Amino acid sequence: MNTISKYIFKDILKTQGAIFGVLMLIFMSQTFIKFIGRASKGNIPAELVSQLLALSVPTMANFMLPLSLFLAVLFSIGSFCSQSEMVVMRSVGYSHRRLLGVITLLIIVNMAVNAACTCFLSPWCESRQLDLINKAKSDPTMLAIDSGKFIKLNGNNVVYIENNGTVDKNYNVMNQIYVFSGGDASTAPSVTISTSAKSEYDADGLFWLTLLRGTRYEGPDGKGEFKISFFDEYRAVVPEVASGHDKAKVSTKSNSELLNSGTSADYAEMEWRIVQPITICILVLLVVPLSMVNPRRGRFAKFLPAIIIYISYYLFAFGFKSSIARGNFPVLPGIFLVPVIYLFIFTIPLNLTNTEWYNRMRAGRKKHVEVVR
């Protein structure tokens, strides 16, 4: 790689790093706000927010890598052209082919990272996210047991704790507890009031809630009678919550699971994982000729057409993916049709424009028209 190629490579790489960092910061902030909102509602423990945010990075990187490289090439090459640096490079023999060679190297690196995230890291991280959230909903110790909040444990049981103090992750001490049970066909509804309580795991891993010095009010039962009981210690196992789990998404499945399932939705997801790295190659090679602007028109002269093409590509890709998942479009050619269409309609024709072969063919056609006249 010569000096000019290194200069272009470093400039595009630095620009991509800056764009990628800004985009990731924006989307991670939105994701953080979403998780904080769920934690404030008690859907997930606040302690899991940082873990869930970290596990979201590969999924966000899947979408940020193509966009960051696309914009980096558009801005960097556009800057070279607007400052007449590209004119000087061409005057010393730096051809369009050499420029594509440098950008192809960047494309290969980004495709490798994107393929690793799309096919391996992202499904594992999303599956891990789902496991953490469902475990938090099942494990009573991971519920948002805060002072002054009503907590639904399982069935019709609701607990209100006036003051909650955590000793360690396996032991809690609570003051002024109210337990409401709606009852069922065999048991009467009840209200249990206790001045203090503690929760802990036993040697077998069961989670126990022990109420101290309290009163239990039951009724009315089938005969319309009430029952009042006083106790010094009331101990009960708190079962796992079996309902309310988040359903597994298609994106959490591994590649082997997608290939062996045989459903349209799984095939659409598998095709999407394969198409994403290919998308980087198609769109970035497409934007190279669009970034070649006239110095008088400025570096952003073709910014709008480039962004429109980029957005249209993903709109078509998402549309095909959705249609395949619903069974409205065949699995083959499936989503692969989108990169093929853009390759032959935009990428190849735009890169052939202003090349030596194109100019020679255009001159020959012009000469032929003049001879005919």
Side-chain angles (χ1 to χ4, degrees), residues 89-104:
M89 293 179 189
R90 287 181 175 177
S91 67
V92 296
Y94 198 82
S95 63
H96 183 76
R97 184 181 300 175
R98 287 189 177 182
L99 178 62
L100 288 179
V102 175
I103 294 174
T104 301

Side-chain angles (χ1 to χ4, degrees), residues 19 23 27 63-72 307 310 314:
I19 295 172
L23 292 175
F27 282 89
F63 295 97
M64 297 304 106
L65 274 175
L67 181 58
S68 62
L69 184 58
F70 183 88
L71 294 176
I307 293 299
Y310 185 93
Y314 274 96

Side-chain angles (χ1 to χ4, degrees), residues 335-352:
I335 310 176
F336 300 113
L337 193 61
V338 179
V340 171
I341 291 174
Y342 275 72
L343 176 66
F344 288 100
I345 293 181
F346 294 106
T347 304
I348 293 178
L350 287 174
N351 278 282
L352 289 177

Side-chain angles (χ1 to χ4, degrees), residues 44-58:
I44 59 173
E47 294 80 6
L48 291 182
V49 171
S50 59
Q51 296 182 50
L52 295 174
L53 184 64
L55 291 171
S56 301
V57 172

Side-chain angles (χ1 to χ4, degrees), residues 66-258:
L67 181 58
S68 62
L69 184 58
F70 183 88
L71 294 176
V73 172
L74 183 64
F75 292 157
S76 295
I77 304 301
S79 177
F80 295 151
C81 292
S82 63
Q83 297 175 13
S84 300
E85 290 182 80
M86 190 59 66
V87 176
V88 177
M89 293 179 189
R90 287 181 175 177
S91 67
V92 296
Y94 198 82
S95 63
H96 183 76
R97 184 181 300 175
R98 287 189 177 182
L99 178 62
L100 288 179
V102 175
I103 294 174
T104 301
L105 181 59
L106 284 165
I107 290 173
I108 293 173
V109 174
N110 281 267
M111 286 179 66
V113 176
N114 185 265
C117 290
T118 303
C119 298
F120 303 103
L121 286 178
S122 184
W124 183 86
C125 288
E126 289 190 31
S127 177
R128 180 62 180 159
Q129 272 188 334
L130 188 66
D131 291 342
L132 287 174
I133 292 173
N134 287 339
K135 184 179 179 182
K137 291 182 177 181
S138 299
D139 192 345
T141 60
M142 297 186 71
L143 293 173
I145 303 179
D146 294 330
S147 302
K149 285 187 177 182
F150 290 91
I151 304 109
K152 185 175 182 180
L153 292 180
N154 68 306
N156 295 324
N157 297 325
V158 179
V159 177
Y160 177 86
I161 302 170
E162 187 173 304
N163 186 20
N164 178 43
T166 302
V167 178
D168 56 45
K169 64 179 182 179
N170 292 327
Y171 190 88
N172 280 10
V173 176
M174 295 159 273
N175 296 320
Q176 205 60 39
I177 302 94
Y178 301 85
V179 182
F180 306 90
S181 178
D184 52 32
S186 58
T187 60
S190 64
V191 177
T192 304
I193 304 173
S194 176
T195 57
S196 62
K198 60 182 180 179
S199 61
E200 58 186 333
Y201 274 112
D202 64 6
D204 297 325
L206 297 176
F207 184 68
W208 291 83
L209 178 64
T210 304
L211 303 180
L212 305 173
R213 297 180 301 279
T215 307
R216 180 179 176 85
Y217 303 89
E218 296 182 58
D221 55 15
K223 299 179 181 179
E225 297 178 351
F226 289 86
K227 181 180 179 181
I228 301 177
S229 305
F230 300 93
F231 58 86
D232 292 327
E233 182 176 305
Y234 181 85
R235 201 162 185 254
V237 176
V238 180
E240 291 186 353
V241 180
S243 61
H245 285 193
D246 289 354
K247 296 182 180 180
K249 300 178 182 178
V250 179
S251 57
T252 62
K253 296 183 179 180
S254 64
N255 299 329
S256 58
E257 290 176 334
L258 294 177

Side-chain angles (χ1 to χ4, degrees), residues 292-304:
M292 300 289 185
V293 296
N294 191 313
R296 296 180 179 179
R297 298 179 61 187
R299 61 191 295 187
F300 300 108
K302 297 181 182 179
F303 177 79
L304 184 59

Side-chain angles (χ1 to χ4, degrees), residues 317-328:
F318 282 126
F320 275 97
K321 181 184 177 184
S322 178
S323 298
I324 294 170
R326 293 195 301 266
N328 297 332

